[in-house]
Amino acid sequence: MRTNDVILKTVTQLVTFIIIIFSIYVFLSGHHHPGGGFIGGLMTAAAFVLIGLAFDIETVKKIIPIDFKLISATGMLIAVLTGIGSFVFDANFLSHTFDYFHLPLLGETELATAVLFDIGVYLVVIGITLTIIFTIGEDQ
Amino acid sequence: MNNLTIAPLLIPLVTGVILLFLGKRLILQKALSILSGMAIIATSIFLLMDVLENGIKTYQVGGWQPPFGIVLVADSLATLLVLFSSIIMVATTLFTFRGLDLERKNYYYYPLVQFLLTGVIGAFLTGDIFNLFVFFEVLLMSSYALIVLGGTKTQLRESLKYVLINVISSAFFVTAVAFLYSATGTLNMADLSARIAEINQPGLITVIALLFLIVFGMKAAIFPLFFWLPGAYSAPPPVISAIFAGLLTKVGIYAIYRVFTIIFYHHPDVTHYTIGILAAITMIVGAVGAIAYNDIHKILVYNVVAGVGFILLGLSAFNEDGLFGGMFYLLHDMLIKAALFLLAGAIVVITRTTKIGQASGIIKNYPLLGWTFLAAALSLAGVPPFSGFFGKLLLIQGGFAAEQYVFVAVLLVSSLLVLYSVMRIFFQVILGEEILPDVSRRGNVKGLVYPSIFLLFLSFLMGMGAEAVYPYVADATNTLLNPELYIDAVLKEE
């Protein structure tokens, strides 16, 4: 029987967004500042773990309606495919490139293919962390 | 076109990831596993021909020049080992069709094997010592999962020991790499070799070399560090033991060969002689263990230990015959150990026990299985028509040329004991009067024998057609004896 944890739940609803936005910021700034896919993924996973603590695992599963293991698998597929993608341009495996683009709103932006690889890492870390924590946490 | 060099590494990786999505659709999983194995076999054969014709192939991952980037090096030795690992993968996958329970197959058996193969092939192909560590971890992680898959009590107990031992040896590995990096300032094997040759391997580097011997010796199960192997390899089901016996210790042996021929070869009187002594004791321990037990799995597991000793003896001789024999025996040993473990799996399906003496007389109802086991036993001991003969013959020649008469004597005596240990299984379990469980309790061995026949047939071809295999192994030996070939291939200016 749970005690009345209105404060925890309300704070969680607020804080979760801040954590996720910060994790995405850290993830995107990884090329020039400390950060990257691994730490970003851990932070995003931490936000979901917080929801799991304040509410329950079912809520998290409702938010992410797919198997956590498949998130990792998708991440791995993305990471490998970005490596293989360089074959199309007759370059070696995992060759990366970057260029500057003029984007609406953001202006002159540097886009690197290394980010695609990092998205893979990001998803693998989220999937693995959630799988581990919620497999242990679930009652058999 | 150049990208073919990395194909044997990418095929199992991509297949493994795709298999994760397929969940419990077993037919697709099996088909894709076999397909991936075939594709690796085809690419590695193609690569092998190319290497023999045009010399060592290197591949710069990400397009960075060595020694700054990671480089993959496909020489004859690495490519041959890749080929044989994929052959073993195909054979064991065929065995799982009927020889592994549904529960294990449903819980990621096939993807795990693909990831294990990725680690093994990566460890063979890499030319960077830290990358070697990473691939060791890839294969170890998969092997942790495979050893505990199913969750029986024995498996849990043995996997705990196995994980503990390997975590410790991995920590040693990182430490050794750190020492080596602080002493030389590089991690690329060719660059390491060149730099250590410049300073003529001072005492500090020899100490680091011995630290590497401890690390790889723990993976390869040489004498004082083999204690984890008998338990760990007899706990999981026979298919998984067959994969382990065929691939895992061999990666450790390959790493010892690579490191002590390419990098630390300047003081063979210290390093290689130590390896020789350890190899001799390993053979004795393996042979004594193999005749001491009354358990089929334990006998085979100690044969794995003895095999490690045989192969490393070639490195201790450190001449052309010795290294050639070691390489040839390594390839033979991969095939034959996998075949023996698969056959033991089939025998246990019939007898329902691993103990010798509780069941006998299989041959009356299962002649094919019986004679296949005899052929495997003869091949293991090194009887001429099979592949074990040439390897051992050259090992002995190499030993004589290096004047290591004691080691050669140990090799001959332990070969005899190894033959005795497997013939004991043959005479007491397969021959003899029929003591078997009721027909209703016996399992079905249909299809369980064919993968081993396939492996034995390859061993037979290797023995009969040694002439055809010769140029490839000779090329591998040539690279081992002349590290400058390797260095030139990796560090050449484009």
Side-chain angles (χ1 to χ4, degrees):
Chain A
M1 193 61 209
R2 281 195 171 218
T3 48
N4 190 355
D5 42 13
V6 165
I7 298 176
L8 180 64
K9 284 184 178 175
T10 318
V11 172
T12 302
Q13 283 170 353
L14 253 169
V15 166
T16 306
F17 283 103
I18 301 175
I19 297 176
I20 290 181
I21 288 167
F22 185 59
S23 76
I24 292 172
Y25 167 74
V26 168
F27 166 68
L28 286 175
S29 68
H31 205 68
H32 295 292
H33 305 284
F38 184 76
I39 187 75
L42 271 183
M43 277 186 190
T44 311
F48 288 114
V49 171
L50 183 62
I51 296 174
L53 282 176
F55 297 86
D56 53 5
I57 297 171
E58 297 311 313
T59 319
V60 181
K61 285 192 171 158
K62 225 179 275 169
I63 299 172
I64 312 175
I66 45 170
D67 189 355
F68 301 137
K69 291 189 277 276
L70 288 186
I71 301 178
S72 300
T74 316
M76 278 170 82
L77 198 62
I78 292 173
V80 177
L81 286 182
T82 50
I84 294 176
S86 54
F87 290 172
V88 180
F89 303 99
D90 205 28
N92 281 2
F93 183 68
L94 275 177
S95 295
H96 286 295
T97 183
F98 67 96
D99 206 351
Y100 294 91
F101 292 94
H102 199 81
L103 297 179
L105 278 173
L106 294 170
E108 190 84 348
T109 315
E110 182 191 2
L111 293 182
T113 51
V115 176
L116 297 175
F117 183 83
D118 244 15
I119 290 174
V121 176
Y122 181 74
L123 290 177
V124 170
V125 173
I126 293 177
I128 293 281
T129 316
L130 294 182
T131 309
I132 292 173
I133 288 175
F134 290 133
T135 312
I136 296 172
E138 252 168 16
D139 291 327
Q140 290 286 322
Chain B
M1 197 53 231
N2 185 27
N3 287 328
L4 198 71
T5 318
I6 203 175
L9 181 56
L10 286 180
I11 293 166
L13 180 59
V14 174
T15 317
V17 175
I18 292 171
L19 291 184
L20 284 179
F21 287 101
L22 293 177
K24 295 184 175 162
R25 265 159 284 180
L26 284 180
I27 297 171
L28 265 175
Q29 294 223 8
K30 288 170 189 167
L32 271 178
S33 296
I34 296 283
L35 211 65
S36 134
M38 293 295 182
I40 307 168
I41 291 176
T43 44
S44 51
I45 288 177
F46 194 80
L47 207 58
L48 197 58
M49 310 269 224
D50 199 21
V51 168
L52 193 67
E53 210 165 291
N54 305 323
I56 300 170
K57 280 180 83 83
T58 62
Y59 185 84
Q60 292 140 16
V61 178
W64 298 97
Q65 288 292 324
F68 307 110
I70 289 170
V71 64
L72 299 183
V73 185
D75 62 345
S76 293
L77 172 57
T79 328
L80 272 172
L81 287 168
V82 169
L83 174 64
F84 277 69
S85 332
S86 44
I87 288 172
I88 286 167
M89 202 276 280
V90 170
T92 49
T93 307
L94 288 172
F95 188 90
T96 58
F97 287 5
R98 304 191 73 114
L100 192 69
D101 47 302
L102 205 61
E103 207 187 9
R104 286 193 171 94
K105 283 196 273 196
N106 270 334
Y107 277 94
Y108 301 104
Y109 170 81
Y110 293 106
L112 284 171
V113 170
Q114 295 293 328
F115 290 134
L116 183 93
L117 198 66
T118 312
V120 169
I121 291 176
F124 289 147
L125 285 178
T126 186
D128 181 288
I129 205 130
F130 193 76
N131 205 225
L132 179 69
F133 169 77
V134 174
F135 280 118
F136 259 110
E137 288 306 303
V138 170
L139 75 91
L140 284 174
M141 291 283 167
S142 328
S143 73
Y144 299 156
L146 280 174
I147 204 170
V148 81
L149 190 66
T152 63
K153 204 173 162 192
T154 349
Q155 279 181 301
L156 291 176
R157 190 182 63 229
E158 295 305 332
S159 66
L160 195 65
K161 294 181 200 164
Y162 180 72
V163 171
L164 207 60
I165 278 299
N166 278 303
V167 166
I168 291 169
S169 86
S170 295
F172 267 113
F173 198 164
V174 177
T175 318
V177 170
F179 281 147
L180 194 59
Y181 186 67
S182 70
T184 60
T186 182
L187 290 172
N188 181 290
M189 286 192 207
D191 199 30
L192 270 174
S193 174
R195 290 195 188 192
I196 286 173
E198 263 171 37
I199 52 176
N200 195 23
Q201 196 177 338
L204 175 68
I205 303 283
T206 308
V207 171
I208 296 172
L210 290 176
L211 195 53
F212 272 106
L213 182 63
I214 293 174
V215 170
F216 296 137
M218 221 182 262
K219 318 269 187 203
I222 60 175
F223 157 62
L225 308 164
F226 72 96
F227 51 87
W228 56 270
L229 187 135
Y233 279 26
S234 47
V239 202
I240 296 173
S241 307
I243 296 177
F244 283 10
L247 300 181
L248 289 195
T249 52
K250 273 61 182 179
V251 183
I253 295 170
Y254 166 81
I256 293 177
Y257 260 88
R258 188 55 97 199
V259 161
F260 283 94
T261 55
I262 302 279
I263 306 176
F264 310 113
Y265 57 90
H266 300 279
H267 293 298
D269 48 322
V270 183
T271 46
H272 293 62
Y273 195 67
T274 314
I275 293 175
I277 294 171
L278 293 179
I281 305 176
T282 310
M283 286 187 282
I284 297 170
V285 168
V288 168
I291 53 174
Y293 280 94
N294 267 329
D295 183 294
I296 297 175
H297 277 151
K298 280 269 157 45
I299 291 174
L300 294 183
V301 159
Y302 276 98
N303 269 309
V304 173
V305 177
V308 173
F310 293 150
I311 301 166
L312 283 180
L313 207 60
L315 184 59
S316 131
F318 203 42
N319 50 26
E320 203 180 337
D321 281 346
L323 288 175
F324 187 97
M327 290 299 93
F328 200 91
Y329 197 82
L330 174 59
L331 297 172
H332 146 84
D333 203 53
M334 288 172 86
L335 291 180
I336 213 70
K337 290 285 147 62
L340 271 173
F341 271 89
L342 293 181
L343 285 171
I347 290 174
V348 172
V349 164
I350 299 167
T351 61
R352 299 258 142 211
T353 171
T354 59
K355 295 271 177 295
I356 289 180
Q358 290 188 1
S360 62
I362 292 176
I363 199 133
K364 207 165 186 185
N365 290 317
Y366 304 92
L368 186 63
L369 175 62
W371 296 121
T372 314
F373 191 86
L374 179 66
L378 293 177
S379 178
L380 177 76
V383 175
F386 291 102
S387 56
F389 174 68
F390 291 98
K392 266 187 193 156
L393 181 70
L394 283 157
L395 279 174
I396 292 166
Q397 277 182 4
F400 278 137
E403 297 182 351
Q404 299 172 331
Y405 302 111
V406 180
F407 293 166
V408 172
V410 171
L411 178 112
L412 289 170
V413 171
S414 43
S415 293
L416 204 63
L417 294 180
V418 158
L419 177 64
Y420 171 70
S421 73
V422 277
M423 289 314 262
R424 212 158 56 105
I425 301 180
F426 181 71
F427 282 117
Q428 297 187 2
V429 179
I430 290 172
L431 295 181
E433 62 179 302
E434 202 174 71
I435 315 168
L436 286 176
D438 301 332
V439 178
S440 56
R441 283 190 59 233
R442 273 182 232 161
N444 186 354
V445 288
K446 221 184 218 170
L448 292 189
V449 187
Y450 298 117
S452 331
I453 294 181
F454 166 62
L455 290 175
L456 275 171
F457 180 66
L458 287 177
S459 155
F460 181 72
L461 280 186
M462 246 181 97
M464 289 300 281
E467 198 115 323
V469 188
Y470 177 81
Y472 300 102
V473 186
D475 189 43
T477 316
N478 192 25
T479 318
L480 291 182
L481 275 174
N482 304 303
E484 59 275 8
L485 288 176
Y486 186 95
I487 300 170
D488 288 347
V490 175
L491 294 179
K492 65 170 181 247
E493 297 292 321
E494 291 277 322

